[in-house]
Amino acid sequence: MEQYVIKGGNPLVGEVEIGGAKNAALGILAAAVMTDDVCLVENIPDVRDTAVMLQAIQSIGGTVDRIDRHTAKISGGNIVDQTIEDDYIKKIRASYYLLGALLGKYRKAKVALPGGCNIGLRPIDQHLKGFRALGAKVAVIPGGMIVAEAERLIGAHIYMDVVSVGATINIMLAAVMAEGQTIIENAAKEPHVVDVANFLNTMGANIKGAGTDVIRIKGVQRLHGTEYAIIPDQIEAGTFMFAAAVTKGDITVKNVIPKHLESISAKLQEIGCEIEESDDAVRVVASKQLSHTQVKTLPYPGFPTDMQPQITVALGLSKGTSIVTESIFENRFKYVDELTRMGANIRVEGGSTAIVDGVTQYNGANITAPDLRAGAALVIAGLAADGITTIDEIKYIQRGYEDFHLKLQSLGGLIELVDSEKDIQKFKLRVG
Ligand code: EPZ
């Protein structure tokens, strides 16, 4: 089984190129099958989740022509089936975007109930409420499949009870070719919601207001092919920015949109890091002792839940007591047990609040990644720790970070991808 082995202690220093946004890519790849023409999509991150989405598209007859590692031509012209099987949905939750896309295009879709990272209950009631409001009949049939069908989709006024990235994107997909106008109120404002809307607009859709909490969609009869480059990944960038803080390093994340990183930069400044911004790069200099703070995860433009484990790892090494409140998912502190084994002093209260008493040092340990972002945060903890850390279940990390260990190596991190005890021994001999 593949693992990362890490020797901590080196400050990470240098520049790192950030890839395309995974969570935008998943929506955009699903949207691309909504035309029979070809869509050329650039800046697709080469991670497990996008690979599974491309396989799911091929499984229903869609065409995927890989031009290079980050570019593909996609066409929904030959789609023969509107059923997405268990295999794909179990591997990636976001294959539910094919439900919205196929319903929007063919007026019918059948998709297995989603799984995904185990970070909370993660219901999809708001997605289904939106489809129903557009006139679809939606049923969950025995075996856990969702079937959505409509003779006609008719624009509607939909008020979302919770701010949901997935439901906002899915309803946009279902509504772009509906008759008349759809208004989504209390919509999610995340950069990837805007990116999916921009992509659809270049395909001929008429979506206005993405990035605000009211999105207005005027249905069009058909969508056409396009060429589009996905935005940079806010969370990959934020993860490297926190890697600088945790290892007392100096990292410039390149090819980013600094505006998308504002809540992350602000917290880093609050805990004592220096931030320098240019047009498409942000530099984090973290030579000093980190200071404590309070943080609560919120929908965009608030501090992202997908950065909660990374900031907790940093606060675990700060001076004083910090409070981290998770307000999006119920089950997102599972990694705290692992971090405690590395010497952190963190108490989780009521499932949603972590009280973090800073310690001066983490110690290397054999730990397991519980999910994608927590896994990445534990890698960063290992890079700051005294001694050797091994991390299991790195398949979670590979879902969302391209070449994670190679990028960390290029910044001076002593980290290796290994798949045997012999490799670990070799690494230990090499790093001394
Ligand atoms: C997306 O998940 C991301 N995934 C997650 O990223 C991210 O953590 C999350 O948004 C929040 O930003 C993708 O984009 C593929 P939500 P999603 O619907 O869409 C509740 C990562 O690490 N809710 O915005 O599933 C829900 O339970 C992943 O890259 C309902 O109650 O999240 C949660 O409490 C992990 N009913 C809140 O809303 C619904 O129908 C926000 O969830 C939908 C959601």
Side-chain angles (χ1 to χ4, degrees):
M1 195 176 53
E2 287 188 332
Q3 288 181 313
Y4 287 138
V5 57
I6 299 165
K7 172 146 193 265
N10 276 7
L12 298 188
V13 177
E15 297 182 343
V16 63
E17 207 55 56
I18 299 305
K22 171 193 75 109
N23 289 342
L26 294 168
I28 285 172
L29 295 175
V33 305
M34 296 188 73
T35 172
D36 288 348
D37 302 343
V38 173
C39 293
L40 179 82
V41 185
E42 297 174 317
N43 210 26
I44 306 171
D46 185 14
V47 293
R48 292 228 168 134
D49 276 16
T50 53
V52 175
M53 177 58 93
L54 291 170
Q55 278 169 17
I57 289 172
Q58 286 171 309
S59 77
I60 51 171
T63 316
V64 175
D65 183 6
R66 278 261 184 194
I67 308 297
D68 61 37
R69 190 174 181 198
H70 300 123
T71 310
K73 283 184 178 169
I74 294 153
S75 167
N78 296 320
I79 288 182
V80 285
D81 192 6
Q82 288 82 36
T83 306
I84 305 297
E85 296 293 350
D86 237 18
D87 280 5
Y88 302 105
I89 203 91
K90 272 199 192 126
K91 282 190 201 141
I92 55 159
R93 186 176 169 76
S95 39
Y96 60 36
Y97 288 144
L98 289 166
L99 188 61
L102 296 172
L103 176 66
K105 184 179 181 191
Y106 297 102
R107 307 295 193 243
K108 63 175 176 184
K110 194 172 162 192
V111 175
L113 275 169
C117 271
N118 182 13
I119 52 180
L121 286 174
R122 307 188 80 184
I124 58 159
D125 56 302
Q126 299 302 305
H127 304 232
L128 305 188
K129 167 177 155 169
F131 298 153
R132 288 189 178 113
L134 295 170
K137 287 207 170 68
V138 184
V140 180
I141 58 169
M145 298 290 280
I146 304 166
V147 184
E149 274 177 307
E151 272 175 30
R152 294 168 65 191
L153 290 172
I154 298 172
H157 200 133
I158 301 163
Y159 187 89
M160 314 280 289
D161 302 319
V162 291
V163 180
S164 161
V165 171
T168 303
I169 292 178
N170 232 343
I171 296 168
M172 276 193 319
L173 293 170
V176 276
M177 287 193 274
E179 298 165 43
Q181 180 168 245
T182 298
I183 300 175
I184 308 175
E185 301 235 30
N186 201 23
K189 296 181 278 202
E190 269 67 5
H192 37 291
V193 173
V194 180
D195 209 34
V196 178
N198 287 343
F199 175 72
L200 285 163
N201 282 341
T202 69
M203 294 173 80
N206 184 343
I207 304 174
K208 295 207 165 77
T212 74
D213 38 29
V214 184
I215 299 180
R216 289 168 202 277
I217 304 161
K218 282 205 181 117
V220 295
Q221 290 212 322
R222 66 178 292 275
L223 297 174
H224 53 71
T226 187
E227 291 184 11
Y228 194 83
I230 294 169
I231 53 164
D233 197 301
Q234 176 204 26
I235 306 301
E236 186 195 13
T239 302
F240 281 102
M241 289 164 74
F242 268 93
V246 173
T247 64
K248 295 203 166 49
D250 176 350
I251 297 179
T252 301
V253 288
K254 294 177 72 180
N255 181 35
V256 296
I257 300 174
K259 171 112 192 90
H260 295 168
L261 301 170
E262 275 173 358
S263 64
I264 296 165
S265 297
K267 277 295 159 199
L268 283 164
Q269 275 173 320
E270 235 172 87
I271 62 174
C273 300
E274 281 171 41
I275 302 285
E276 279 172 29
E277 266 182 30
S278 57
D279 282 353
D280 64 352
V282 177
R283 179 177 175 197
V284 181
V285 185
S287 48
K288 292 185 289 207
Q289 162 76 56
L290 300 175
S291 39
H292 65 100
T293 192
Q294 299 203 4
V295 60
K296 181 176 184 180
T297 62
L298 288 169
Y300 190 82
F303 191 84
T305 174
D306 290 347
M307 288 299 304
Q308 183 260 99
Q310 299 88 319
I311 193 170
T312 304
V313 163
L315 296 175
L317 291 176
S318 71
K319 199 169 166 44
T321 302
S322 301
I323 299 186
V324 181
T325 308
E326 171 59 55
S327 82
I328 310 291
F329 292 110
E330 314 82 39
N331 197 13
R332 220 170 183 177
F333 282 118
K334 278 186 302 174
Y335 65 90
V336 164
D337 287 346
E338 300 298 280
L339 201 54
T340 305
R341 294 178 49 228
M342 297 179 76
N345 186 357
I346 303 176
R347 206 166 68 248
V348 178
E349 284 186 357
S352 61
T353 305
I355 296 149
V356 185
D357 284 316
V359 295
T360 50
Q361 182 75 59
Y362 292 141
N363 305 308
N366 299 330
I367 53 175
T368 299
D371 62 63
L372 164 58
R373 306 302 172 187
L378 291 170
V379 169
I380 294 170
L383 286 162
D386 188 21
I388 300 283
T389 296
T390 61
I391 305 200
D392 288 342
E393 297 288 0
I394 62 168
K395 61 174 193 246
Y396 288 117
I397 302 170
Q398 292 164 336
R399 288 177 65 161
Y401 291 89
E402 179 179 312
D403 294 342
F404 195 41
H405 67 289
L406 299 180
K407 289 186 181 184
L408 291 165
Q409 278 172 8
S410 77
L411 296 166
L414 296 176
I415 174 168
E416 203 78 63
L417 177 74
V418 294
D419 64 5
S420 69
E421 190 51 42
K422 208 165 117 201
D423 286 349
I424 297 177
Q425 293 313 326
K426 266 203 257 168
F427 174 83
K428 284 184 180 165
L429 277 177
R430 186 166 67 75
V431 298

